[in-house]
Amino acid sequence: MLGMLIVLVGLSSCISSGNSTTSQTGPVKIGISLSLTGDASGDGQSLKQGYQLWQDYINNKGGLLGRKVQLVIYDDATRPEQALLNYQKLISVDKVNFTFGPFDDAFTVNGATVASKYGYAFLQGTGTSPQDFQHNLSNMFCVSMTSSKYMASLVNYILSLPANKRPKTVAYSTSDNQFTSSQVSPVVSQLEKGGLKTVLNETYPQENTDLNPLAQKVVNSQADVVIVGTDTMANSVAYVNYFATQHFNPKVLIFTSGPDQGSAFTSAIGKNSPEGILIANNGWWPDVKTYQNDYFVPAFIKKFGGDAAGIGSDAVQAFSIGQTLEQAVNQTHSLDNAKIMAALHAGTFQTLQGPVKFASDGENTLAVPYLFQWQHNKLIPVYPATQAEANVEYPKAAWGS
């Protein structure tokens, strides 16, 4: 009877705790689903680099509470349903200690939902659409800025221009992906109130693979400002190459994703210059004086090659996730998910992207929107002026510049 009671208590403990079935010795295993193949493979590979660099960093310090970190990564092939299955396996079969996020919104929500059922914290950096925070997932923590705030920097810059220099027309072409539409949608009314005329507002299915007809509509609009809601780097490359072929060069050209992927983006657009292309983002560029950036940049170049301009924002987000977990573990002196989640809800954390404080729904409340532009083969902050490394190049340089 006593033996039976001990077994039952042990089983009850396993059910109630998100860490009780994980190993209490050996490496701290962190489970991740990434799009290493498929349409979002460029972003997935960049995230993997950031996670791997953080693993090197933390293990060189002795690991988490003296235990080395081991990443367990599965490819979801850019399919949200596979990401769900991957996280199910990572927790129930691989018995990982913690879970980190994948790329994109649907993947993130699927992963966080699985993690929630097992009582696991889910730290992520790319599920930033407002809808992602409406699923009552108190276990999800996003180190990046909510996407609906990204374009505030662009709007503020355009409306700050004198009336005689301000652009007159604007065209929008965006996928119906949550991440892209949440960035673009608020801008329409804001720029119209500022006197800009909307000459094209096209939303297309995310599954659309032939973007040339959509890009041609933008060309036909001859808009001064072009805002393209791309959900992958590959899509932004397709628009750039088509615009360059048609010699269409608006005064302002901005994408929601793609140009922030450093040398992966510039290599993909080939002979076409990135000069003058804009992207909105938050909190990081190679020279920024944020927490551990003086380690991150040279370590990234040493491990993966290239230069600082080639570092993608996904890698930055991934490393920031690891930084946040390390601080929460050090604060709690524990690897228990429940204690880690309590610390994440209560504290403020320092990352490559700046300070992070989580709202109850997991949003980062301290993130600040910046406007970045490719100038002289570097992606640099150009707005707001207090943080800018140069003035905005306006109008955009010609493609051959």
Side-chain angles (χ1 to χ4, degrees), residues 255-287:
F255 295 87
T256 56
S257 68
D260 55 344
Q261 293 309 310
S263 59
F265 173 74
T266 55
S267 297
I269 63 175
K271 64 180 181 180
N272 296 317
S273 171
E275 188 72 18
I277 293 177
L278 292 160
I279 188 162
N281 216 319
N282 69 291
W284 185 87
W285 56 94
D287 300 326

Side-chain angles (χ1 to χ4, degrees), residues 60-121:
N60 287 337
K61 289 181 60 179
L64 293 172
L65 301 184
R67 293 168 59 183
K68 292 298 181 73
V69 167
Q70 176 188 340
L71 301 180
V72 184
I73 299 174
Y74 292 134
D75 181 15
D76 56 44
T78 317
R79 293 190 290 120
E81 65 276 10
Q82 185 60 49
L84 188 151
L85 295 174
N86 286 350
Y87 282 108
Q88 180 73 38
K89 181 182 179 183
L90 286 163
I91 296 173
S92 62
V93 177
D94 296 300
K95 310 296 184 184
V96 298
N97 297 83
F98 297 107
T99 51
F100 285 174
F103 175 71
D104 210 1
D105 298 287
F107 300 76
T108 296
V109 172
N110 282 353
T113 300
V114 172
S116 178
K117 292 178 181 179
Y118 288 88
Y120 274 60

Side-chain angles (χ1 to χ4, degrees), residues 142-145 149 282-283 347-350 353-359 363-370:
C142 181
V143 299
S144 303
M145 182 170 57
K149 301 176 182 178
N282 69 291
T348 299
F349 305 89
Q350 300 302 318
Q353 300 184 118
V356 172
K357 186 170 181 60
F358 301 107
E363 291 186 76
N364 178 7
T365 62
L366 299 181
V368 176
Y370 290 86

Side-chain angles (χ1 to χ4, degrees), residues 3 158 198 303 338:
I158 290 176
T198 300
K303 185 175 181 66

